[in-house]
Amino acid sequence: MQDARKRRAFACCFATVVALGVYGWIQNSVLFPRFAEFFPVGREIDTAVRAALYIAVAVVASRKPNLLDARTISATSIVAVASATALLYAAVSMESNGLAILGIVFFEIGHIWIVVMYGLALCLLATPRHSALAVAFGTVAGDIIQGIVGVFPLEVGMAAMAGLPLVALALSYAPAARFLSMLQSEAAPSELEIANPRSFLAPTNALFACILVFSAASGYALTLNEVDNAPNSSPAEWMGTLAVALLMMSRRKPGGEDMLFSLSALLVIAGFLAAPLTFGTDDAGANALLRIGKNCFDVLVWMTVASIGKQNPFSLLIALGIANAARSIGTIAGAIAGHTVNDFAPVAEPFAHTITACALFAFVAFLWLGFRNFSFERTIRGLEMPQTAQQNDDREDVFDKRCFTIARDRGLTERETEIFLFMAHGRNVGFIEEHFVISRNTVKTHVKRIYKKLDVHSQQELIDLAESEPR
């Protein structure tokens, strides 16, 4: 029964990856090419709005998780996506920049929470390896579907853009809702972080910087050598990603994050080196290399975030928000570079070569200077599970029971047991004197008797005895 539930959860996440992958492709091949005719910065504005909303998700998840009600979020997402679809269709039909911006904002408000719900469901699979395989095979299936169906007409594409995110929401709702309910019942992660700093990744952690840089390569691949303002794609993309997925499936040992990172980096470097050979052509070879590298890195990111969630569930939603914000910001930077190369390649090819060479140098320098000693595996393993207020209360109850057992076994009186409990918790003579409203001499007399019965000579020895006594 449990295996069947795991298989159903994996199948739902796989289907969600496919749905959102096809949605993203439709957005880039149907909506944004139409925007390019009257609103050429539409894609960049959409990505910027997405980045801002992901940052908002991370802040809310850290400080006010009680606001994250699954039903409210889902209802808001459905209304926002439906409204945005009408606005975006009207914007394209009327070539209105204002309606386009309004539609983008509404759509991202709805879409962002759907991706968050999907991310939670994905990261809550049995193991991080399952999360990575769902992403890898889902990406391959989405790419194959894209190659089969071709580019949709505007009306069909807009309907699919509205429907596919809602399918993803339906598939991921149940596990994500359970997680959000758990998050609401505990202290805010920002409060837990104060007492458990080693349990959370800071927004400045090298992991998120790495996501930003690799996403820049992804943005460059999206726009390089565009065909009719749509991404230039090749079957080699899904074939390469499938090979990586099969390799991961054959690996039985846990880990492998650092190896996957190295493979991603090599593929991206190869893509940058091949890019000048494709300027001014429809050759998608460089795009394919860059995207296979990006797909490998996406798998790595999901595996890493899922591992973070396993180590510390309270940091999962925060990590999702920061990681996706970094991905969006990097994509904008890469897309701008790709557009610039496309503009200059026909008229000033040496300048286009220079931009690509600078991008490659920056990428390699970043890896060499910032990531020689960085390890995804060490970052994940270095996180600790924070102690919640309930867990601290439970531990204190266990400790108190242990103290009562010691007192009973060593023949302490009722008053001596009470004083022993206070001393085991580190309270001094003055505190005990005030609490019981007895004289200092009386407290000292009780303490001497307790020491004698326990065969200890100081309060520290008493505490050590209480902490070391078997349960």
Side-chain angles (χ1 to χ4, degrees), residues 223-259:
T223 52
L224 178 67
N225 297 328
E226 285 182 323
V227 178
D228 296 327
N229 296 311
N232 191 2
S233 59
S234 163
E237 294 172 25
W238 69 260
M239 293 178 184
T241 307
L242 177 61
V244 173
L246 293 173
L247 180 64
M248 289 182 59
M249 192 168 67
S250 66
R251 180 184 174 88
R252 297 299 178 185
K253 296 181 180 179
E257 291 89 350
D258 290 335
M259 181 182 69

mmCIF file of all heavy atoms in Angstrom, residues 223-259:
data_model
loop_
_atom_site.group_PDB
_atom_site.id
_atom_site.type_symbol
_atom_site.label_atom_id
_atom_site.label_comp_id
_atom_site.label_asym_id
_atom_site.label_seq_id
_atom_site.Cartn_x
_atom_site.Cartn_y
_atom_site.Cartn_z
ATOM 1 N N THR A 223 17.287 32.952 -25.948
ATOM 2 C CA THR A 223 17.194 34.041 -26.930
ATOM 3 C C THR A 223 18.210 33.937 -28.075
ATOM 4 O O THR A 223 18.005 34.555 -29.121
ATOM 5 C CB THR A 223 17.390 35.394 -26.225
ATOM 6 O OG1 THR A 223 18.604 35.359 -25.454
ATOM 7 C CG2 THR A 223 16.235 35.667 -25.269
ATOM 8 N N LEU A 224 19.288 33.194 -27.905
ATOM 9 C CA LEU A 224 20.314 33.093 -28.945
ATOM 10 C C LEU A 224 19.714 32.510 -30.228
ATOM 11 O O LEU A 224 19.051 31.474 -30.200
ATOM 12 C CB LEU A 224 21.471 32.218 -28.462
ATOM 13 C CG LEU A 224 22.604 31.972 -29.458
ATOM 14 C CD1 LEU A 224 23.353 33.272 -29.742
ATOM 15 C CD2 LEU A 224 23.559 30.902 -28.944
ATOM 16 N N ASN A 225 19.968 33.179 -31.346
ATOM 17 C CA ASN A 225 19.513 32.696 -32.661
ATOM 18 C C ASN A 225 18.015 32.376 -32.678
ATOM 19 O O ASN A 225 17.581 31.341 -33.196
ATOM 20 C CB ASN A 225 20.310 31.453 -33.079
ATOM 21 C CG ASN A 225 21.784 31.741 -33.264
ATOM 22 O OD1 ASN A 225 22.168 32.833 -33.666
ATOM 23 N ND2 ASN A 225 22.624 30.769 -32.932
ATOM 24 N N GLU A 226 17.203 33.269 -32.098
ATOM 25 C CA GLU A 226 15.757 33.043 -32.087
ATOM 26 C C GLU A 226 15.215 32.888 -33.503
ATOM 27 O O GLU A 226 15.711 33.511 -34.449
ATOM 28 C CB GLU A 226 15.045 34.212 -31.411
ATOM 29 C CG GLU A 226 15.176 34.241 -29.901
ATOM 30 C CD GLU A 226 14.406 35.399 -29.290
ATOM 31 O OE1 GLU A 226 14.382 36.487 -29.911
ATOM 32 O OE2 GLU A 226 13.842 35.212 -28.192
ATOM 33 N N VAL A 227 14.169 32.073 -33.632
ATOM 34 C CA VAL A 227 13.495 31.879 -34.910
ATOM 35 C C VAL A 227 12.089 32.459 -34.769
ATOM 36 O O VAL A 227 11.274 31.940 -34.000
ATOM 37 C CB VAL A 227 13.423 30.385 -35.279
ATOM 38 C CG1 VAL A 227 12.665 30.209 -36.599
ATOM 39 C CG2 VAL A 227 14.815 29.788 -35.365
ATOM 40 N N ASP A 228 11.833 33.556 -35.479
ATOM 41 C CA ASP A 228 10.538 34.253 -35.376
ATOM 42 C C ASP A 228 10.226 34.621 -33.920
ATOM 43 O O ASP A 228 9.102 34.430 -33.435
ATOM 44 C CB ASP A 228 9.405 33.394 -35.950
ATOM 45 C CG ASP A 228 9.582 33.138 -37.444
ATOM 46 O OD1 ASP A 228 10.113 34.030 -38.127
ATOM 47 O OD2 ASP A 228 9.199 32.047 -37.899
ATOM 48 N N ASN A 229 11.247 35.128 -33.241
ATOM 49 C CA ASN A 229 11.124 35.572 -31.848
ATOM 50 C C ASN A 229 10.807 34.438 -30.871
ATOM 51 O O ASN A 229 10.392 34.685 -29.738
ATOM 52 C CB ASN A 229 10.054 36.663 -31.710
ATOM 53 C CG ASN A 229 10.420 37.917 -32.471
ATOM 54 O OD1 ASN A 229 11.529 38.423 -32.357
ATOM 55 N ND2 ASN A 229 9.474 38.428 -33.262
ATOM 56 N N ALA A 230 10.968 33.191 -31.287
ATOM 57 C CA ALA A 230 10.754 32.030 -30.416
ATOM 58 C C ALA A 230 12.077 31.297 -30.229
ATOM 59 O O ALA A 230 12.976 31.375 -31.082
ATOM 60 C CB ALA A 230 9.714 31.092 -31.025
ATOM 61 N N PRO A 231 12.247 30.567 -29.122
ATOM 62 C CA PRO A 231 13.515 29.863 -28.887
ATOM 63 C C PRO A 231 13.848 28.880 -30.001
ATOM 64 O O PRO A 231 12.962 28.217 -30.559
ATOM 65 C CB PRO A 231 13.252 29.121 -27.570
ATOM 66 C CG PRO A 231 12.186 29.915 -26.889
ATOM 67 C CD PRO A 231 11.314 30.441 -27.990
ATOM 68 N N ASN A 232 15.120 28.796 -30.324
ATOM 69 C CA ASN A 232 15.624 27.870 -31.332
ATOM 70 C C ASN A 232 15.904 26.535 -30.639
ATOM 71 O O ASN A 232 16.762 26.446 -29.768
ATOM 72 C CB ASN A 232 16.903 28.439 -31.946
ATOM 73 C CG ASN A 232 17.335 27.683 -33.183
ATOM 74 O OD1 ASN A 232 16.669 26.757 -33.624
ATOM 75 N ND2 ASN A 232 18.466 28.078 -33.739
ATOM 76 N N SER A 233 15.165 25.499 -30.991
ATOM 77 C CA SER A 233 15.279 24.232 -30.266
ATOM 78 C C SER A 233 15.752 23.110 -31.178
ATOM 79 O O SER A 233 15.726 23.225 -32.410
ATOM 80 C CB SER A 233 13.935 23.848 -29.633
ATOM 81 O OG SER A 233 12.938 23.729 -30.624
ATOM 82 N N SER A 234 16.173 22.010 -30.541
ATOM 83 C CA SER A 234 16.695 20.863 -31.269
ATOM 84 C C SER A 234 16.342 19.584 -30.518
ATOM 85 O O SER A 234 16.305 19.583 -29.282
ATOM 86 C CB SER A 234 18.225 20.983 -31.397
ATOM 87 O OG SER A 234 18.805 19.747 -31.735
ATOM 88 N N PRO A 235 16.079 18.462 -31.229
ATOM 89 C CA PRO A 235 15.809 17.185 -30.551
ATOM 90 C C PRO A 235 16.963 16.723 -29.663
ATOM 91 O O PRO A 235 16.766 15.919 -28.754
ATOM 92 C CB PRO A 235 15.580 16.205 -31.714
ATOM 93 C CG PRO A 235 15.195 17.064 -32.873
ATOM 94 C CD PRO A 235 15.942 18.352 -32.686
ATOM 95 N N ALA A 236 18.166 17.254 -29.961
ATOM 96 C CA ALA A 236 19.323 16.870 -29.138
ATOM 97 C C ALA A 236 19.123 17.239 -27.674
ATOM 98 O O ALA A 236 19.710 16.624 -26.789
ATOM 99 C CB ALA A 236 20.588 17.533 -29.682
ATOM 100 N N GLU A 237 18.274 18.232 -27.416
ATOM 101 C CA GLU A 237 18.054 18.672 -26.032
ATOM 102 C C GLU A 237 17.448 17.559 -25.190
ATOM 103 O O GLU A 237 17.965 17.210 -24.129
ATOM 104 C CB GLU A 237 17.141 19.898 -26.012
ATOM 105 C CG GLU A 237 17.755 21.129 -26.659
ATOM 106 C CD GLU A 237 16.749 22.262 -26.795
ATOM 107 O OE1 GLU A 237 15.780 22.286 -25.995
ATOM 108 O OE2 GLU A 237 16.929 23.106 -27.682
ATOM 109 N N TRP A 238 16.327 16.988 -25.665
ATOM 110 C CA TRP A 238 15.694 15.954 -24.852
ATOM 111 C C TRP A 238 16.501 14.668 -24.863
ATOM 112 O O TRP A 238 16.493 13.906 -23.877
ATOM 113 C CB TRP A 238 14.242 15.721 -25.273
ATOM 114 C CG TRP A 238 13.997 15.084 -26.608
ATOM 115 C CD1 TRP A 238 13.649 15.699 -27.762
ATOM 116 C CD2 TRP A 238 14.028 13.682 -26.905
ATOM 117 N NE1 TRP A 238 13.472 14.791 -28.773
ATOM 118 C CE2 TRP A 238 13.693 13.535 -28.283
ATOM 119 C CE3 TRP A 238 14.311 12.537 -26.163
ATOM 120 C CZ2 TRP A 238 13.640 12.289 -28.916
ATOM 121 C CZ3 TRP A 238 14.258 11.295 -26.791
ATOM 122 C CH2 TRP A 238 13.927 11.177 -28.151
ATOM 123 N N MET A 239 17.228 14.416 -25.945
ATOM 124 C CA MET A 239 18.056 13.210 -25.988
ATOM 125 C C MET A 239 19.180 13.281 -24.956
ATOM 126 O O MET A 239 19.455 12.315 -24.229
ATOM 127 C CB MET A 239 18.655 13.030 -27.390
ATOM 128 C CG MET A 239 17.629 12.731 -28.468
ATOM 129 S SD MET A 239 18.405 12.581 -30.102
ATOM 130 C CE MET A 239 16.960 12.373 -31.140
ATOM 131 N N GLY A 240 19.812 14.455 -24.868
ATOM 132 C CA GLY A 240 20.876 14.617 -23.877
ATOM 133 C C GLY A 240 20.346 14.548 -22.460
ATOM 134 O O GLY A 240 20.958 13.914 -21.578
ATOM 135 N N THR A 241 19.194 15.178 -22.215
ATOM 136 C CA THR A 241 18.593 15.148 -20.882
ATOM 137 C C THR A 241 18.171 13.732 -20.523
ATOM 138 O O THR A 241 18.308 13.300 -19.371
ATOM 139 C CB THR A 241 17.387 16.091 -20.816
ATOM 140 O OG1 THR A 241 17.778 17.397 -21.260
ATOM 141 C CG2 THR A 241 16.851 16.183 -19.400
ATOM 142 N N LEU A 242 17.646 12.979 -21.497
ATOM 143 C CA LEU A 242 17.255 11.587 -21.253
ATOM 144 C C LEU A 242 18.468 10.743 -20.860
ATOM 145 O O LEU A 242 18.388 9.901 -19.951
ATOM 146 C CB LEU A 242 16.590 11.006 -22.498
ATOM 147 C CG LEU A 242 16.181 9.528 -22.418
ATOM 148 C CD1 LEU A 242 15.164 9.317 -21.300
ATOM 149 C CD2 LEU A 242 15.627 9.044 -23.752
ATOM 150 N N ALA A 243 19.600 10.970 -21.539
ATOM 151 C CA ALA A 243 20.816 10.217 -21.196
ATOM 152 C C ALA A 243 21.226 10.484 -19.749
ATOM 153 O O ALA A 243 21.603 9.553 -19.009
ATOM 154 C CB ALA A 243 21.948 10.599 -22.146
ATOM 155 N N VAL A 244 21.127 11.737 -19.318
ATOM 156 C CA VAL A 244 21.462 12.079 -17.934
ATOM 157 C C VAL A 244 20.482 11.419 -16.967
ATOM 158 O O VAL A 244 20.869 10.885 -15.926
ATOM 159 C CB VAL A 244 21.458 13.610 -17.744
ATOM 160 C CG1 VAL A 244 21.637 13.968 -16.273
ATOM 161 C CG2 VAL A 244 22.557 14.246 -18.574
ATOM 162 N N ALA A 245 19.174 11.425 -17.323
ATOM 163 C CA ALA A 245 18.159 10.811 -16.459
ATOM 164 C C ALA A 245 18.408 9.313 -16.292
ATOM 165 O O ALA A 245 18.296 8.769 -15.193
ATOM 166 C CB ALA A 245 16.771 11.070 -17.036
ATOM 167 N N LEU A 246 18.735 8.650 -17.399
ATOM 168 C CA LEU A 246 19.000 7.213 -17.331
ATOM 169 C C LEU A 246 20.253 6.922 -16.508
ATOM 170 O O LEU A 246 20.312 5.937 -15.765
ATOM 171 C CB LEU A 246 19.148 6.638 -18.749
ATOM 172 C CG LEU A 246 17.869 6.660 -19.603
ATOM 173 C CD1 LEU A 246 18.175 6.240 -21.031
ATOM 174 C CD2 LEU A 246 16.818 5.740 -18.986
ATOM 175 N N LEU A 247 21.251 7.785 -16.636
ATOM 176 C CA LEU A 247 22.462 7.624 -15.843
ATOM 177 C C LEU A 247 22.152 7.756 -14.353
ATOM 178 O O LEU A 247 22.644 6.980 -13.528
ATOM 179 C CB LEU A 247 23.500 8.673 -16.271
ATOM 180 C CG LEU A 247 24.846 8.643 -15.537
ATOM 181 C CD1 LEU A 247 25.576 7.334 -15.811
ATOM 182 C CD2 LEU A 247 25.719 9.822 -15.959
ATOM 183 N N MET A 248 21.323 8.731 -14.018
ATOM 184 C CA MET A 248 20.934 8.910 -12.617
ATOM 185 C C MET A 248 20.137 7.714 -12.104
ATOM 186 O O MET A 248 20.298 7.277 -10.971
ATOM 187 C CB MET A 248 20.096 10.182 -12.460
ATOM 188 C CG MET A 248 20.857 11.465 -12.620
ATOM 189 S SD MET A 248 19.767 12.871 -12.368
ATOM 190 C CE MET A 248 19.190 12.566 -10.713
ATOM 191 N N MET A 249 19.260 7.174 -12.936
ATOM 192 C CA MET A 249 18.431 6.052 -12.517
ATOM 193 C C MET A 249 19.272 4.807 -12.272
ATOM 194 O O MET A 249 18.961 3.986 -11.392
ATOM 195 C CB MET A 249 17.365 5.761 -13.577
ATOM 196 C CG MET A 249 16.286 4.804 -13.115
ATOM 197 S SD MET A 249 14.878 4.745 -14.244
ATOM 198 C CE MET A 249 15.654 3.992 -15.687
ATOM 199 N N SER A 250 20.362 4.674 -13.020
ATOM 200 C CA SER A 250 21.223 3.500 -12.849
ATOM 201 C C SER A 250 22.122 3.609 -11.622
ATOM 202 O O SER A 250 22.658 2.607 -11.155
ATOM 203 C CB SER A 250 22.099 3.318 -14.090
ATOM 204 O OG SER A 250 23.019 4.404 -14.224
ATOM 205 N N ARG A 251 22.253 4.821 -11.092
ATOM 206 C CA ARG A 251 23.102 5.036 -9.920
ATOM 207 C C ARG A 251 22.309 4.702 -8.663
ATOM 208 O O ARG A 251 21.275 5.291 -8.400
ATOM 209 C CB ARG A 251 23.574 6.491 -9.872
ATOM 210 C CG ARG A 251 24.459 6.813 -8.681
ATOM 211 C CD ARG A 251 24.807 8.292 -8.633
ATOM 212 N NE ARG A 251 25.520 8.635 -7.428
ATOM 213 C CZ ARG A 251 26.837 8.579 -7.281
ATOM 214 N NH1 ARG A 251 27.578 8.200 -8.298
ATOM 215 N NH2 ARG A 251 27.421 8.905 -6.147
ATOM 216 N N ARG A 252 22.794 3.761 -7.885
ATOM 217 C CA ARG A 252 22.070 3.306 -6.705
ATOM 218 C C ARG A 252 22.518 4.002 -5.425
ATOM 219 O O ARG A 252 21.776 4.057 -4.454
ATOM 220 C CB ARG A 252 22.263 1.793 -6.528
ATOM 221 C CG ARG A 252 21.695 0.985 -7.679
ATOM 222 C CD ARG A 252 20.205 1.202 -7.807
ATOM 223 N NE ARG A 252 19.618 0.479 -8.926
ATOM 224 C CZ ARG A 252 18.354 0.591 -9.298
ATOM 225 N NH1 ARG A 252 17.557 1.435 -8.659
ATOM 226 N NH2 ARG A 252 17.892 -0.103 -10.320
ATOM 227 N N LYS A 253 23.718 4.533 -5.431
ATOM 228 C CA LYS A 253 24.234 5.162 -4.212
ATOM 229 C C LYS A 253 23.632 6.551 -4.043
ATOM 230 O O LYS A 253 23.355 7.241 -5.023
ATOM 231 C CB LYS A 253 25.760 5.264 -4.280
ATOM 232 C CG LYS A 253 26.473 3.934 -4.319
ATOM 233 C CD LYS A 253 27.985 4.134 -4.370
ATOM 234 C CE LYS A 253 28.719 2.792 -4.416
ATOM 235 N NZ LYS A 253 30.180 2.984 -4.488
ATOM 236 N N PRO A 254 23.426 6.997 -2.798
ATOM 237 C CA PRO A 254 22.941 8.364 -2.578
ATOM 238 C C PRO A 254 24.016 9.376 -2.926
ATOM 239 O O PRO A 254 25.191 9.047 -3.046
ATOM 240 C CB PRO A 254 22.622 8.383 -1.075
ATOM 241 C CG PRO A 254 23.498 7.319 -0.489
ATOM 242 C CD PRO A 254 23.608 6.247 -1.541
ATOM 243 N N GLY A 255 23.622 10.619 -3.051
ATOM 244 C CA GLY A 255 24.586 11.673 -3.365
ATOM 245 C C GLY A 255 24.690 11.867 -4.870
ATOM 246 O O GLY A 255 23.764 11.619 -5.628
ATOM 247 N N GLY A 256 25.843 12.310 -5.335
ATOM 248 C CA GLY A 256 26.066 12.553 -6.753
ATOM 249 C C GLY A 256 25.827 13.984 -7.176
ATOM 250 O O GLY A 256 25.946 14.312 -8.367
ATOM 251 N N GLU A 257 25.486 14.866 -6.210
ATOM 252 C CA GLU A 257 25.185 16.244 -6.571
ATOM 253 C C GLU A 257 26.386 16.951 -7.187
ATOM 254 O O GLU A 257 26.246 17.682 -8.175
ATOM 255 C CB GLU A 257 24.706 17.024 -5.338
ATOM 256 C CG GLU A 257 23.352 16.611 -4.812
ATOM 257 C CD GLU A 257 23.424 15.501 -3.784
ATOM 258 O OE1 GLU A 257 24.518 14.919 -3.618
ATOM 259 O OE2 GLU A 257 22.396 15.216 -3.159
ATOM 260 N N ASP A 258 27.567 16.753 -6.616
ATOM 261 C CA ASP A 258 28.753 17.456 -7.119
ATOM 262 C C ASP A 258 29.147 16.972 -8.516
ATOM 263 O O ASP A 258 29.600 17.759 -9.354
ATOM 264 C CB ASP A 258 29.918 17.270 -6.144
ATOM 265 C CG ASP A 258 29.705 18.030 -4.844
ATOM 266 O OD1 ASP A 258 28.953 19.032 -4.854
ATOM 267 O OD2 ASP A 258 30.273 17.623 -3.812
ATOM 268 N N MET A 259 28.957 15.688 -8.772
ATOM 269 C CA MET A 259 29.252 15.160 -10.111
ATOM 270 C C MET A 259 28.303 15.765 -11.146
ATOM 271 O O MET A 259 28.710 16.141 -12.248
ATOM 272 C CB MET A 259 29.123 13.638 -10.108
ATOM 273 C CG MET A 259 29.430 12.988 -11.448
ATOM 274 S SD MET A 259 29.206 11.193 -11.426
ATOM 275 C CE MET A 259 27.423 11.101 -11.278
#
